[in-house]
Amino acid sequence: MIALREMSIPEKNVFLDKQSGKDFERPQYKKLVKKLKPDDLLYIKSIDRLGRNYEEIQNQWRILTKEKGIDIVVLDMPLLDTRRGKDLMGTFLSDIVLQVLSFVAENERTNIRQRQAEGIAAAKARGVRFGRPPRPLPENYHSAYQRWKSGAITGTAAAKECGMPLSTFRYRAEIYEKAKLL
């Protein structure tokens, strides 16, 4: 946003998606593409803000520049400015830079996912629990569990007595049994 403000781009012309750039199924991106007309100028902070999939970046770039007839300026990569160098050499250089940066963007996405998986695995190995902490068992759980286990009442009745869904009752019973074995 700061870079776009420095370019004096009016807020009404800024399209910002809060979701990942992994694909182009983003509401604000779709809105932007619909609004673009031939000879418009699109500023992008960096190529990875456009997308993170090599083929899709190439495809969207072609759609925007060839089919829509707009110019694109990538602010942190001056070589990617379609306003200049419209001759064969300029187009060739732009295409090469775009391909390299698209590859880098997709590669970075792959690296991020790998680092995230490694971080989750390391946290789990340290005993970090993910998700919402379980609710404490109701006071009558032990008696309802015993009567259910002995066949005196059904699982549905026991779950209802404890004020929980049957699936939760069975899940907690499994944990309860394992804890008793330890």
Side-chain angles (χ1 to χ4, degrees), residues 24 55 68 82 87 109 124 151 161:
F24 289 89
E55 285 183 34
K68 289 270 187 189
T82 61
D87 60 344
R109 176 165 168 70
K124 283 184 177 180
E161 200 175 294

Side-chain angles (χ1 to χ4, degrees), residues 110-126:
T110 304
N111 289 341
I112 288 169
R113 291 174 72 192
Q114 181 182 349
R115 288 190 296 264
Q116 179 185 28
E118 290 168 356
I120 290 170
K124 283 184 177 180
R126 289 191 315 269

Side-chain angles (χ1 to χ4, degrees), residues 7-23:
M7 298 298 300
S8 301
I9 297 171
E11 294 269 336
K12 69 180 179 82
N13 291 341
V14 174
F15 294 82
L16 177 70
D17 278 304
K18 300 275 186 189
Q19 65 195 68
S20 168
K22 70 176 181 166
D23 60 34

Side-chain angles (χ1 to χ4, degrees), residues 142-153:
H142 181 71
S143 65
Y145 169 81
Q146 293 298 333
R147 288 184 296 137
W148 169 67
K149 218 40 179 163
S150 68
I153 59 173

